Amino acid sequence: MLLVERAENTASDKEIEGIVDVHLRLGEHRWMDFVSDLTTTLTFDHHWPFLWVSVLIAILIRLNPAGPPKLQLALSAATASYCVLISIAGLAYLLQLGWWILLAVGAAGAFIRLVTRH
C-alpha cells in the first residue's frame, strides 16, 4: 500500500515539476508577465469566479437573440476578451493537459454554436 502511494506521489510530483517548468519558461517573456498581472488586477486575484460569470453571460446572450443588440455586443466583446485573457494567463496549465484539451474546447464551442443556432 505504501509503495502504491509513493508511486502516485512521484507521478504527481513529475506533473507539478512540468507545470513549474512551463510556467518558468513562459515567465521569461515580458508579455506573459503583463498578461498575468493584468488578469490578477482585473479579477482581484479571483480568476475562477470571474471566468464562470463571463461564460454564463456569454451563454445567456447567445440564448437571448431578442435582446438589445448594442448591449449584447458590448457584453459579448467583454466576456470574450476576458476568456482569452484568462486562457493566456493559464497557458502553463493548459499545456500540461495535452493536445486533446484543444479538441475538447473546440468541440464545446461547436456544440454551443449548434445548440444556439437560429
Side-chain angles (χ1 to χ4, degrees), residues 19 21 25-26 28-29 34 61 64-65 71 89 99 102 113:
I19 291 173
D21 183 48
R25 280 190 282 147
L26 287 173
E28 294 173 357
H29 303 285
F34 173 74
I61 289 170
N64 183 15
L71 176 64
W99 64 270
L102 297 176
R113 173 75 176 150

Side-chain angles (χ1 to χ4, degrees), residues 10-117:
T10 305
S12 64
D13 288 344
K14 289 179 184 176
E15 291 173 1
I16 291 172
E17 287 175 9
I19 291 173
V20 169
D21 183 48
V22 171
H23 189 69
L24 289 175
R25 280 190 282 147
L26 287 173
E28 294 173 357
H29 303 285
R30 286 196 175 278
W31 63 268
M32 188 63 180
D33 289 337
F34 173 74
V35 169
S36 294
D37 291 343
L38 182 63
T39 303
T40 301
T41 302
L42 290 176
T43 62
F44 308 107
D45 205 21
H46 297 288
H47 305 308
W48 290 108
F50 277 85
L51 180 63
W52 280 109
V53 166
S54 65
V55 168
L56 290 175
I57 288 172
I59 290 171
L60 287 174
I61 289 170
R62 189 82 176 135
L63 292 174
N64 183 15
K70 288 183 180 181
L71 176 64
Q72 286 189 338
L73 179 63
L75 286 173
S76 293
T79 58
S81 299
Y82 179 73
C83 287
V84 167
L85 185 69
I86 197 78
S87 296
I88 292 171
L91 195 59
Y93 307 106
L94 290 175
L95 290 175
Q96 274 309 108
L97 295 175
W99 64 270
W100 59 269
I101 193 69
L102 297 176
L103 182 64
V105 169
F111 177 73
I112 290 173
R113 173 75 176 150
L114 179 69
V115 170
T116 59
R117 190 172 55 179

